[in-house]
Amino acid sequence: MSEISDPAQWGRRLSTAVVMFHEAVGARLGLSAVDQRALALVRQEAPLTAGRLAQLTGLSPGAVTGLVDRLERAGHVRRGADPSDRRRVLISPVPGSRLEPGDAFAELGRDMASVMAKYDERELAVIADYVKNTIDVLERQTRRLGDGGGP
C-alpha cells in the first residue's frame, strides 16, 4: 500500500476497505453487506423492534422494513408479537439459521490484535477517541441521508 500523503484520503481508503470487506463476507453468506451487518445486530440485540434496528443502523424505518422482509424471506429472522405489548412486533434470529462467514472475522480479529499491539495505552486512547468520533459522525450522516437530507 502506498503512503497516503493527504489525510483526507485516509477516511476514504478506510471506508472503502471496510465496505469491501463486508461485501466479501456478505457474498460468502449470500447477503448484501447491509443485510449481513443488520443480521449481526439482530443476533446481538435480539429481540428488538424495527425502530430499535433503525436506530442502531441509522436507516429509515422504510429501509429497515425492506431489510427485515429480505432477512425473513431468507429464513434468518422472524417477526413475533411482543408478549408484554401485543401491538409491538419483535425481530429475532431464527435458531439454526446461523450463517458462518468461515474464519473471516476470526482472522480479522487476529490481524487487528497484531496491529493494536504496536501501540501503547496513550496511543490506544487516542485511536479509540478517533474511532468513537468517526462512528458518531458516520451514524449522524447515515441518519441525515436516511431522513431524506441533502447530499
Side-chain angles (χ1 to χ4, degrees):
M1 178 172 97
S2 64
E3 190 63 32
I4 300 172
S5 60
D6 176 8
Q9 291 181 34
W10 299 350
R12 288 189 292 273
R13 293 278 309 267
L14 175 60
S15 174
T16 299
V18 169
V19 169
M20 298 310 290
F21 174 79
H22 285 290
E23 279 293 333
V25 172
R28 180 176 277 195
L29 300 176
L31 300 171
S32 73
V34 170
D35 291 356
Q36 176 252 327
R37 296 313 307 147
L39 181 56
L41 287 169
V42 170
R43 287 181 177 147
Q44 180 181 344
E45 302 281 330
L48 73 164
T49 64
R52 177 67 179 140
L53 187 55
Q55 288 175 335
L56 291 170
T57 60
L59 297 173
S60 70
V64 167
T65 298
L67 184 150
V68 174
D69 287 346
R70 289 189 303 276
L71 291 175
E72 189 173 42
R73 273 193 308 273
H76 302 301
V77 302
R78 68 171 174 245
R79 290 177 170 107
D82 182 341
S84 63
D85 182 350
R86 308 281 291 156
R87 296 168 296 178
R88 282 186 2 165
V89 174
L90 295 176
I91 303 161
S92 301
V94 172
S97 74
R98 196 149 178 95
L99 294 173
E100 295 299 333
D103 60 357
F105 287 108
E107 188 170 334
L108 174 66
R110 286 190 300 273
D111 282 356
M112 290 306 298
S114 294
V115 169
M116 299 307 279
K118 297 176 184 180
Y119 300 99
D120 64 31
E121 285 187 36
R122 185 188 61 75
E123 292 168 322
L124 289 172
V126 171
I127 293 167
D129 182 65
Y130 171 81
V131 169
K132 180 200 173 300
N133 287 313
T134 299
I135 291 167
D136 290 346
V137 167
L138 289 169
E139 288 176 343
R140 194 168 47 252
Q141 292 300 312
T142 301
R143 281 190 302 275
R144 180 183 63 83
L145 293 169
D147 292 339

